């Protein structure tokens, strides 16, 4: 077993010991769909609802899971390591401290994928909805959304000097992005400029492209490009400004 696989195993064990992180990944998306999805299902069956609501909710739940992992869990973990000088001590060993970053991303990505699978199963059996109809488009939108949000999470981790500051920066960025995604106010009811910003915001673009693929449509190319550009810029800036201590 090489150094990276050992670090991934250790980080996975630490992640699984955190009930809050497990709640974000598995319980919160399912709870969101139970609270909002079942009434929407009933109205749709009665002919008073819109079928799009049943694809928006799982897409929002998936995006919520990814966003919390990327903007809450990842920056906080790296902030704790920086505070406790774990990264500095790793730098004095044969293990490259960068491997710890890779291990963190791998573990959080694996948890995000597991959460996506659980959410898809929940949609199928709780809301009686089919699996994503456009599977290639769904995979592409999901991976670009993950890359975009994790790029922002790594940038927060690069700039935050401590876990407490990471804990402050993450929510400060997350909740406005959640608003722009239409979590509280549908974007068609927002002012035109604000709605357009929401369309290309990290969470907004992720929700829209995942929901489109789930319904069997092709994700909008401009939104996919916006996700890819944000992912590249966030990752490059994170590498540029990252501090090991």
């Amino acid at each position: 077993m090489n150094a990276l696989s050992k670090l991934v195993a250790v980080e996975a064990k630490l992640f699984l010991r955190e009930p809050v992180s497990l709640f974000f990944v598995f319980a919160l998306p399912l709870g969101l769909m139970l609270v909002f999805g079942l009434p929407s299902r009933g109205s749709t069956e009665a002919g008073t609802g819109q079928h799009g609501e049943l694809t928006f909710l799982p897409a929002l739940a998936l995006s919520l899971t990814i966003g919390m992992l990327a903007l809450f869990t990842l920056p906080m973990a790296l902030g704790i390591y920086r505070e406790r000088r774990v990264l500095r001590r790793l730098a004095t060993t044969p293990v490259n401290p960068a491997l710890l970053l890779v291990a963190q991303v791998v573990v959080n990505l694996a948890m995000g994928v597991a959460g996506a699978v659980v959410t898809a199963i929940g949609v199928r059996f709780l809301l009686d909805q089919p699996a994503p109809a456009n599977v290639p488009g769904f995979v592409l939108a999901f991976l670009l959304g993950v890359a975009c949000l994790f790029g922002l999470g790594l940038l927060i981790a690069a700039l935050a000097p401590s876990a407490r500051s990471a804990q402050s920066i993450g929510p400060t960025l997350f909740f406005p992005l959640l608003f722009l995604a239409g979590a509280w106010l549908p974007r068609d009811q927002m002012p035109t400029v604000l709605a357009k910003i929401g369309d290309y915001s990290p969470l907004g673009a992720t929700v829209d492209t995942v929901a489109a693929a789930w319904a069997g449509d092709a994700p909008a190319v401009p939104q996919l490009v916006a996700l890819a550009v944000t992912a590249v810029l966030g990752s490059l800036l994170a590498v540029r400004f990252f501090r090991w201590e």
Side-chain angles (χ1 to χ4, degrees):
M1 183 179 290
N2 59 30
L4 178 59
S5 59
K6 289 180 180 178
L7 282 173
V8 169
V10 170
E11 292 299 326
K13 289 179 182 178
L14 293 174
F15 187 99
L16 293 174
R17 291 176 183 173
E18 289 292 335
V20 175
S21 299
L22 295 176
F23 172 80
F24 285 159
V25 174
F26 299 109
L28 184 61
L30 291 177
L32 178 67
M33 287 189 298
L34 282 173
V35 171
F36 297 104
L38 292 177
S40 296
R41 175 188 171 188
S43 63
T44 300
E45 290 174 347
T48 59
Q50 294 183 353
H51 180 75
E53 293 175 356
L54 295 180
T55 58
F56 173 80
L57 282 172
L60 179 63
L62 282 180
S63 302
L64 194 68
T65 299
I66 301 168
M68 287 187 166
L69 285 172
L71 303 181
F72 289 22
T73 307
L74 179 63
M76 279 187 60
L78 294 176
I80 290 173
Y81 288 153
R82 184 177 288 119
E83 275 185 347
R84 297 178 179 176
R85 300 184 181 272
V86 173
L87 300 178
R88 182 178 181 181
R89 289 197 297 269
L90 274 177
T92 64
T93 70
V95 178
N96 189 335
L99 291 180
L100 185 60
L101 291 182
V102 177
Q104 275 284 331
V105 172
V106 168
V107 169
N108 281 276
L109 177 58
M111 292 299 122
V113 171
V117 172
V118 170
T119 299
I121 294 173
V123 169
R124 177 67 185 90
F125 292 102
L126 296 178
L127 301 182
D128 196 24
Q129 283 289 100
N134 181 358
V135 175
F138 174 81
V139 172
L140 177 61
F142 178 77
L143 291 180
L144 284 177
V146 167
C148 173
L149 291 165
F150 271 75
L152 293 178
L154 287 173
L155 180 57
I156 294 174
L159 298 175
S162 65
R164 179 171 296 181
S165 58
Q167 194 174 14
S168 300
I169 297 172
T172 301
L173 179 62
F174 177 77
F175 288 109
L177 290 178
L178 195 59
F179 171 78
L180 290 173
W184 295 295
L185 179 68
R187 265 174 278 158
D188 57 8
Q189 298 179 20
M190 294 181 182
T192 304
V193 174
L194 194 61
K196 185 62 67 175
I197 293 173
D199 289 342
Y200 296 96
S201 65
L203 277 177
T206 301
V207 169
D208 285 353
T209 53
V210 169
W214 206 304
D217 300 324
V221 174
Q223 288 181 309
L224 294 176
V225 171
L227 291 174
V229 169
T230 305
V232 172
L233 287 178
S235 300
L236 291 176
L237 290 173
V239 172
R240 171 66 179 82
F241 292 108
F242 195 87
R243 297 178 296 106
W244 295 109
E245 54 181 284

